[in-house]
Amino acid sequence: MNSGFEAGLANWYANSGAMSILMDTTQYHSGAQSVLATGRTSTWNGPEQNMFGRMSAGKTYLVSCWAKLKGAASSDNLKLTLRIDDDVGGRKWRGVTRTINNQGWTLVQGEIAVSVTGTLTDISLYAEGPAIGVEYYVDDVSVTEVVPTAEPTEAVSE
């Protein structure tokens, strides 16, 4: 929801009280704004959205975003992470990582399976990864269920 941040920070929050996420109208992949992660004190700090009720256990999703570093850091890793909680297996993290830079927008994308041991109790998506203090922009976040394709059937000849 609000994947391009055109509705401000609706549905998004900073996943640590020590950092901030701010709207930025000077840098964006599409639309007229993006979100800037700033004041980060841990590598896992970043913009987050709760996905409980919109993602399901046992399914695989293609997650993606466009990201760009701000400032002097020429390149660093950005990871899109699913934090998955279930009532038997506890908490686990699954993610996809890509190197991003401060020169242009980079697509960070990959498939993540939502595997649980018991019942899914919570799931959130967030962007993390650059070094502590490194600021970065995120835009055009997407989560799409990967629908398995049916195996082709062979024609039977008699």
Side-chain angles (χ1 to χ4, degrees), residues 1 3 18 22 33 35 48 50 54 63 69 71 76 84 89-90 95-96 98 101 104-105 125 131 141 143 152:
M1 296 170 59
S3 62
L22 308 170
Q33 53 196 21
V35 69
E48 181 171 332
N50 187 286
R54 292 182 280 149
V63 299
L69 293 176
D76 208 328
I84 304 165
V96 295
R98 179 106 189 250
N101 61 57
W105 289 91
L125 174 71
V141 181
V143 176

Side-chain angles (χ1 to χ4, degrees), residues 69-75 102:
L69 293 176
K70 178 182 180 184
S74 59
S75 68
N102 63 3

Side-chain angles (χ1 to χ4, degrees), residues 36-59:
L36 173 64
T38 185
R40 299 172 56 253
T41 58
S42 294
T43 58
W44 57 267
N45 295 160
E48 181 171 332
Q49 185 170 143
N50 187 286
M51 302 298 288
F52 190 69
R54 292 182 280 149
M55 297 179 81
S56 301
K59 297 193 176 184

Side-chain angles (χ1 to χ4, degrees), residues 54-56 58-63 110-114 143-152:
R54 292 182 280 149
M55 297 179 81
S56 301
K59 297 193 176 184
T60 298
Y61 295 87
L62 177 65
V63 299
E111 293 184 4
I112 302 175
V114 179
V143 176
T144 307
E145 183 181 344
V146 176
V147 179
T149 57
E151 292 292 321

